[in-house]
């Protein structure tokens, strides 16, 4: 029973991280109805930037802030340089090429500079050996910190989207960008801001989970896949759905790894993804609409 509870609690904490990654994908989907496949690369490079700044002698908090700001700027550059020119031609394939191409370039640069080996990342507030006992289960305080931050960020996003003027602007742009433009909304600025916020979320998720998992140039790709699975399972564009989807994927992943095989663990996200697409293509909380990818 304690083993099951351990897998359940750790799976829920890990699932909250997947939900945070997925929320970053939701932000760009809200404004452009596309998925940014460079999200995982942003997540990864943010951790390496923070690690480089920290090893150069900058305090860890400032190093993380520098990395988040730098990656947020990279998100804006991606939108302006690679995404905006493509969308003018109204080609769905162009989005895939632009964002995947950016991801490949960023990962290649990281691999060339830092090498393929896995590196450790310093703990934020807690060290890797700090634990707390919950119902007889030892839980990593760093993992609980990550899960707590993820839940707070998701709650704030839901509040902003539903209760603020910025949220109404975002929803108007998401619903019909042409109508929003006719009403005086600067749609291009909203789209650019969405990429900035999305990239900052990727950076935040990366530096939070890195002390638990370690980092390598492939670090972001796995999290991107699990975050994407969380989004699709919950329903693309739904914050609540993304949280439920992330928790579902996180728990299923650890249960399979604990009771069946760790080798099969990596296939869980895809399996859950396929099952949901077969049963409910719009996701658990999603609306029926076309996804331009």
């Amino acid at each position: 029973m304690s083993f099951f509870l351990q897998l359940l609690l750790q799976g829920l904490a890990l699932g909250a991280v997947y939900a945070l990654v997925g929320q970053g994908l939701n932000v760009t989907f809200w404004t452009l109805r596309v998925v940014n496949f460079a999200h995982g690369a942003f997540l990864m490079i943010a951790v390496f930037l923070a690690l480089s700044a920290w090893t150069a002698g900058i305090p860890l908090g400032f190093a993380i802030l520098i990395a988040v700001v730098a990656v947020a700027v990279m998100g804006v550059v991606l939108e302006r340089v690679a995404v905006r020119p493509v969308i003018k031609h109204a080609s769905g394939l162009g989005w895939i090429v632009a964002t995947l191409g950016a991801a490949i370039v960023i990962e290649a640069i990281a691999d060339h500079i830092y090498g393929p080996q896995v590196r450790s990342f310093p703990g934020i507030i807690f060290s890797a050996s700090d634990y707390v006992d919950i119902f007889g289960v030892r839980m990593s305080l760093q993992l609980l910190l990550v899960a707590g931050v993820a839940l707070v960020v998701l709650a704030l996003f839901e509040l902003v989207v539903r209760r603020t003027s910025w949220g109404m602007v975002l929803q108007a742009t998401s619903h019909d960008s042409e109508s929003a433009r006719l009403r005086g909304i600067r749609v291009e600025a909203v789209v650019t801001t969405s990429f900035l916020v999305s990239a900052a979320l990727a950076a935040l998720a990366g530096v939070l989970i890195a002390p638990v998992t370690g980092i390598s140039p492939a670090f972001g790709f796995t999290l991107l896949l699990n975050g994407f699975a969380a989004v699709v399972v919950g329903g693309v564009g739904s914050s609540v759905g993304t949280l439920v989807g992330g928790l579902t994927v996180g728990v299923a992943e650890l249960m399979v790894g604990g009771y069946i095989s760790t080798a099969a663990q990596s296939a869980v996200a895809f399996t859950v993804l396929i099952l949901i697409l077969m049963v409910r293509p719009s996701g658990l909380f999603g609306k029926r609409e076309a996804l331009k990818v």
Side-chain angles (χ1 to χ4, degrees), residues 81-212:
V81 175
V83 175
R84 186 176 296 188
V86 173
I87 197 171
K88 289 180 179 177
H89 301 288
S91 170
L93 290 178
W95 278 96
I96 298 174
V97 173
T99 56
L100 275 180
I104 292 170
V105 169
I106 293 171
E107 288 187 17
I109 292 173
D111 188 75
H112 178 73
I113 295 175
Y114 301 104
Q117 69 274 15
V118 177
R119 299 168 181 239
S120 61
F121 189 82
I124 303 172
I125 301 178
F126 304 109
S127 70
S129 60
D130 289 334
Y131 287 88
V132 63
D133 190 277
I134 301 177
F135 303 119
V137 174
R138 292 183 70 195
M139 288 290 294
S140 164
L141 282 173
Q142 181 64 39
L143 186 57
L144 290 177
L145 172 68
V146 176
V149 171
L151 293 176
V152 169
V153 170
L154 289 171
L156 286 176
F157 257 91
E158 193 68 10
L159 184 66
V160 168
V161 170
R162 295 188 181 279
R163 302 290 184 181
T164 68
S165 56
W166 167 252
M168 288 188 282
V169 167
L170 197 63
Q171 291 184 57
T173 304
S174 173
H175 181 69
D176 189 333
S177 60
E178 290 305 318
S179 296
R181 187 176 285 107
L182 292 174
R183 292 172 182 270
I185 295 174
R186 296 175 60 194
V187 172
E188 288 77 12
V190 175
V191 171
T192 300
T193 304
S194 73
F195 271 78
L196 184 148
V197 173
S198 173
L201 279 179
L204 178 64
V207 296
L208 283 172
I209 193 63
V212 179

Side-chain angles (χ1 to χ4, degrees), residues 25 36-45 107 202 219-221 223-224:
L25 296 173
N36 177 14
F37 288 106
H39 198 72
F42 284 163
L43 189 152
M44 172 272 299
I45 201 66
E107 288 187 17
F219 162 74
F221 183 69
L223 284 172
L224 172 66

Side-chain angles (χ1 to χ4, degrees), residues 7 250-268:
L7 294 177
V251 171
E253 188 177 85
L254 289 199
M255 288 294 175
V256 169
Y259 285 106
I260 300 176
S261 166
T262 53
Q265 186 173 339
S266 58
V268 169

Side-chain angles (χ1 to χ4, degrees), residues 277-289:
L277 289 176
M278 291 173 61
V279 177
R280 188 176 171 79
S282 58
L284 298 175
F285 293 82
K287 299 176 182 177
R288 292 183 179 277
E289 55 187 337

